[in-house]
Amino acid sequence: MFADSAEIYIRSGNGGDGHVSFRRELYVAAGGPDGGDGGRGGDLIFEVDKGLNTLNDFRHIRKYCAGDGQPGGKRRCHGADGADLVVKVPEGTVVREKETGKVIVDMSHGCNREVILKGGRGGKGNMNFATSTMQVPKYAQPGQPGKELQVILELKTIADVGLVGFPNVGKSTFLSRVSNAKPKIANYHFTTLQPMLGVVDLEGADGFVIADIPGLIEGASDGIGLGHEFLRHIESTKIFIHMVDAASTEGRDPLNDIKVINNELRNYSEELANRPQVIAANKTDVFYGTEEETVITLLKEEFEPQNIPVFPISAVSGKGVKELLYYIRKQLDELDEEPTVFEREYIIDQTTQSEEPFEVSYDEEENMYVVEGPRIERMLGYTNLDSEKGFQFFQKFMHANGIIDQLEKLGIEEGDTVKMYDLQFDYYK
């Protein structure tokens, strides 16, 4: 299973609702509102774990939700905040929004922790809404809902050197010889289905990270096989070791193989194709007589004029490997160290809209419907109901905020009276 791309659902926590209650104690005749605020919803956070190097875990768990805030309580008790959820990802994970494919964040090169979705804000309890005109508010603010997204995780291999070439040319054998990596090795195509990282240690020089990129085939840049997934893993490498079967043990033409894969790189990205390359002419241990000299001469005549050096090696015996590695180290020292980082393309709206509460009720004593709350009081303060435009705005406000729907649910009929603070009117459809 190719496990370096995964689709998951993420959601931050909902904010807890504010509470409606009133202080009731002996000898306290009118204690007033004491409903507490709801708790904040938990954030959804991505964090780099340097101990991870694949996205295997996301094959089994595909839904990640932060904790919801708890509702407020009486006696001004604040609801508990929801727990943040920290999702651990390998360094080099690129998070994309599923529908657009745009980059939300690139978890590499210093970006080790990112709040992807902020939790919903907790609602205010009714103790916050007492005013001189409304001393016993019977409403509280609902908690803000959390945010949700369907995202694609892509693992961008963090390596200095990318090892490319057709399947079964000896890349895995080479990686196991020069580094601490332990790739599976067998005599059939596509043995390696995901990049294998290895650290190369050099005596007297700095080491480097090398990635065995799964075998490419003709048509990879068009998405044939796992082409796009494989090619994506070499976007961050600084130099390529292009390995070929110089001895043609399976009847392949090494010159043609190099041209085919370079063409795939160019079709995928011109910038990628122009990065420094070194040709590792492998399997020289199986040559007979002057065959090695002939093949290596042909490779050098073809590619060294293009500033692509050729190193005859044997991954099995170790011949020429040391010279190749020190040459790679020298090239890395001369290259610009500026990392490849994907810029943020998708901006998540983390703002929360104010949802001032209101309440719709029926007063049996007064035989009228009552609508009250901060949103209603504020609207009446800036609306001139004596003008035609002001009255039209008032009607739209009543419909848009669901007030008419709530009145109808309570059974209001034409001709019934509605009271909104100092305003009273008869209801007609």
Side-chain angles (χ1 to χ4, degrees):
M1 175 67 72
F2 187 78
D4 291 288
S5 178
E7 178 183 333
I8 62 172
Y9 166 85
I10 57 176
R11 180 180 71 79
S12 59
N14 297 319
D17 294 336
H19 187 69
V20 177
S21 62
F22 298 90
R23 186 180 175 190
R24 294 290 182 265
E25 295 182 32
L26 191 63
Y27 308 119
V28 180
D34 69 350
D37 300 342
R40 177 190 64 83
D43 295 338
L44 194 292
I45 303 167
F46 276 24
E47 187 174 88
V48 168
D49 183 342
K50 295 185 182 294
L52 298 175
N53 55 24
T54 73
L55 298 174
N56 279 328
D57 293 345
F58 298 99
R59 288 167 47 198
H60 309 294
I61 303 175
R62 296 181 178 270
K63 188 174 182 180
Y64 296 83
C65 301
D68 295 332
Q70 297 300 305
K74 59 185 179 180
R75 297 184 180 177
R76 299 176 176 261
C77 288
H78 194 292
D81 292 339
D84 295 339
L85 179 62
V86 178
V87 180
K88 303 286 184 136
V89 297
E91 186 175 14
T93 299
V94 179
V95 184
R96 298 179 185 270
E97 196 273 329
K98 180 189 174 185
E99 294 299 323
T100 63
K102 292 183 176 180
V103 174
I104 297 173
V105 65
D106 181 349
M107 302 295 293
S108 64
H109 299 293
C111 180
N112 295 320
R113 184 181 173 91
E114 184 81 8
V115 177
I116 305 296
L117 299 176
K118 288 185 177 179
R121 187 182 58 203
K124 293 181 178 180
N126 70 331
M127 67 178 182
N128 297 279
F129 300 111
T131 66
S132 58
T133 57
M134 177 52 60
Q135 296 182 9
V136 285
K138 301 174 184 176
Y139 42 78
Q141 190 179 39
Q144 293 282 345
K147 297 183 179 296
E148 59 182 4
L149 272 182
Q150 203 78 20
V151 298
I152 303 293
L153 306 181
E154 296 176 350
L155 182 56
K156 180 184 65 173
T157 302
I158 303 298
D160 302 301
V161 180
L163 188 58
V164 299
F166 270 81
N168 212 32
V169 296
K171 300 196 305 298
S172 294
T173 303
F174 176 79
L175 187 66
S176 65
R177 168 172 283 278
V178 302
S179 76
N180 57 356
K182 302 298 180 185
K184 295 179 181 178
I185 301 170
N187 189 31
Y188 52 87
H189 293 317
F190 296 106
T191 301
T192 306
L193 289 182
Q194 64 185 42
M196 178 69 68
L197 291 179
V199 178
V200 177
D201 293 320
L202 296 176
E203 186 177 347
D206 293 335
F208 54 86
V209 179
I210 188 169
D212 174 12
I213 307 300
L216 297 178
I217 59 173
E218 192 166 7
S221 59
D222 297 323
I224 294 176
L226 297 174
H228 282 166
E229 286 84 348
F230 291 166
L231 285 162
R232 185 171 60 244
H233 286 283
I234 56 178
E235 288 181 342
S236 61
T237 56
K238 302 180 181 73
I239 188 170
F240 300 144
I241 298 177
H242 197 145
M243 184 164 288
V244 293
D245 178 1
S248 301
T249 57
E250 295 190 347
R252 305 196 62 86
D253 179 354
L255 274 78
N256 185 64
D257 282 358
I258 295 170
K259 292 177 181 178
V260 167
I261 290 185
N262 279 343
N263 187 54
E264 295 305 319
L265 294 174
R266 185 165 288 104
N267 289 339
Y268 182 74
S269 166
E270 189 70 33
E271 188 271 335
L272 208 59
N274 290 331
R275 291 188 190 171
Q277 276 191 41
V278 177
I279 294 174
N282 191 28
K283 303 190 180 182
T284 57
D285 54 296
V286 298
F287 275 120
Y288 294 99
T290 60
E291 289 180 353
E292 177 181 351
E293 183 179 345
T294 302
V295 173
I296 300 303
T297 298
L298 288 173
L299 287 170
K300 288 186 175 183
E301 288 177 351
E302 178 71 28
F303 295 105
E304 289 194 341
Q306 302 175 38
N307 200 30
I308 303 176
V310 177
F311 284 81
I313 70 163
S314 169
V316 172
S317 69
K319 170 190 171 184
V321 169
K322 184 176 180 181
E323 291 79 4
L324 171 62
L325 295 179
Y326 277 94
Y327 175 83
I328 294 292
R329 179 66 265 174
K330 181 174 180 294
Q331 294 301 301
L332 288 172
D333 291 339
E334 295 174 358
L335 290 174
D336 183 5
E337 290 297 318
E338 183 177 349
T340 301
V341 180
F342 289 94
E343 296 294 329
R344 188 187 303 270
E345 301 170 327
Y346 187 88
I347 306 299
I348 301 170
D349 182 12
Q350 303 281 24
T351 61
T352 56
Q353 298 179 347
S354 175
E355 292 186 2
E356 293 178 306
F358 64 87
E359 183 187 48
V360 181
S361 61
Y362 177 67
D363 188 331
E364 293 184 358
E365 292 185 5
E366 298 288 337
N367 191 27
M368 64 177 60
Y369 292 86
V370 180
V371 181
E372 58 188 13
R375 195 186 316 183
I376 309 302
E377 193 172 20
R378 193 159 53 84
M379 182 274 297
L380 293 175
Y382 58 67
T383 304
N384 180 11
L385 296 178
D386 293 331
S387 71
E388 182 179 353
K389 285 187 177 180
F391 188 73
Q392 288 177 348
F393 172 80
F394 170 72
Q395 288 180 312
K396 289 180 180 178
F397 177 88
M398 295 282 284
H399 281 283
N401 286 274
I403 296 172
I404 298 298
D405 291 339
Q406 291 197 33
L407 287 169
E408 291 178 349
K409 285 181 180 179
L410 290 175
I412 194 169
E413 296 180 355
E414 292 195 1
D416 288 345
T417 302
V418 179
K419 179 183 178 182
M420 303 173 71
Y421 293 95
D422 294 333
L423 172 71
Q424 292 187 24
F425 63 92
D426 292 335
Y427 171 78
Y428 290 98
K429 284 190 176 182

